[in-house]
Amino acid sequence: MKPSADRLFIAVTALWLVTSPRPSFAQPPASGAVTAPARLTAAERDAALSSIQAELQRTYVFPEKRAALVERLDRERKAGRYSVDSPAEFAERVTADLTDASKDRHLYLVNDAARYTAAKAPRVRETDTDAYWRQRALREHHGLTELRVLPGNVRYLKVAGFHWVQDETGTAYDDALRFLKDGDAIIIDLRDNGGGTHAAVRYLVSHFLDGDVPLLTFLAGSKPPEQSRTLEHLPAGRLMGKPLYVLINPRVASAGEEFAYHVQQLKLGELIGSRTAGAANNNSLVPVAPCFVLSVSHGRPVHAVSQTNWEGVGIAPDVETPPEQALEVAQSRALKKLLATSGLTPALRSEYTWAQTTVEAGLHPVSVPPQALKSLAGRFGPNEVSWKDGALWLRRGSRPPVRLTPLTAEGLFSVEGYEVLRARLTGKALELLWSDTPEPTVFARG
């Protein structure tokens, strides 16, 4: 029997919750909502530490490490390290000690009364998302925050987080995947994606594989292993066979890493950027009075291909590049692959080449000496090229002048505000090139 997508999850990682907190959203307080105390009492601190230690003893994924974690908290408590009245500072100190003792990026304490209230609220079904995470998923469009058509019909999807709301998130993914399906190549941007749920990862990766393919086996203490497989029915259909590029950086963690790991291990595409965080364990979010949420690792995933996971080591990119250039590098590689396709029509070859020139100029900006640029200025029929403010400017007839930026050292320029228009200056002539016209319009110098 296969486990459901909603029972198997990798909850949001410490990178997302601690090092880059998101703003809370204004809303009326829920019935029974807890207000965070301005100051912690000694009794509240002791009670919180006791609850944390009990949870570690009961559920932490590695039984052999439980005693050491509990002892670390005891030692620091006796030394007075936690004798602070600020809930935020208390949570930060506990988190620092748990992380240091375990090296586990899913083991941390958050000071957040709204999340505490949501975590304590009863659920009708085990698969229900609590109120805090459901609201966040809806406001962030389930983590699918940007869709774009890049030059050359390369389709781009930004996945900021892997949210999952039962009976709601799948529809958002269906729409996004239909958009990607019409592209010639696909780029999925995971940069800064700190995690989410396995159900969302499973839904997305299923589109790039056949149905019923083994993904992960989840191990949790003495419980029977649970295996996750790709879905067999997908409303948007499969996206197999298209070039796929996935952008990663050191802030990609947990469920974000899971998707990248599937892409790499199952050879679905290329990872572009830099090594990820290394947070693989499965965690639960446990309310701790008076206003905290403890993330505690209770299990670990084992991948069907590698028979291990990415905990503590992260995932290395296939193509290492500064993360801020990863999108342009992925575009360049996608366009080169498309240009190498056999049987391309002249129109497609021209479109890909046009796009490739733009991308390469962004990756490798051309520097032309000012004197050489000045020599290209002049009158060309009804058009004028002038030198002003350290750049060349093109005026076409009576239109306002627009800036020219070098694309190549051979005199090819982009025209500001006109992606479909370029100018080539040879010294003797001005050539205006349109993306959908095979031959340039030539104007001799006057």
Side-chain angles (χ1 to χ4, degrees), residues 9-17 104-108 161-162 190 192-198 201 216 218 249-262 276-285 295 297 299 301 309-312 314-315:
F9 67 95
I10 297 179
V12 178
T13 151
L15 287 186
W16 198 3
L17 293 175
D104 185 338
R105 307 296 288 273
H106 280 108
L107 188 55
Y108 59 90
F162 281 103
L190 298 182
D192 298 340
N193 181 322
T197 67
H198 168 72
V201 176
L216 297 173
F218 293 93
N249 68 359
R251 293 175 68 85
V252 175
S254 193
E257 290 179 285
E258 184 199 335
F259 182 78
Y261 201 67
H262 290 318
T276 62
N281 292 333
N282 312 122
N283 62 331
S284 300
L285 301 177
S295 169
S297 301
N309 60 47
W310 56 95
E311 179 69 26
I315 303 163

Side-chain angles (χ1 to χ4, degrees), residues 191-213:
R191 289 174 296 180
D192 298 340
N193 181 322
T197 67
H198 168 72
V201 176
R202 179 193 190 196
Y203 201 84
L204 178 57
V205 79
S206 291
H207 291 80
F208 301 94
L209 291 161
D210 290 323
D212 201 35
V213 174

Side-chain angles (χ1 to χ4, degrees), residues 22-26 112 114 132 135 139:
R22 307 282 180 91
S24 60
F25 307 116
D112 193 312
Y132 174 88
Q135 184 196 38
R139 290 185 67 92

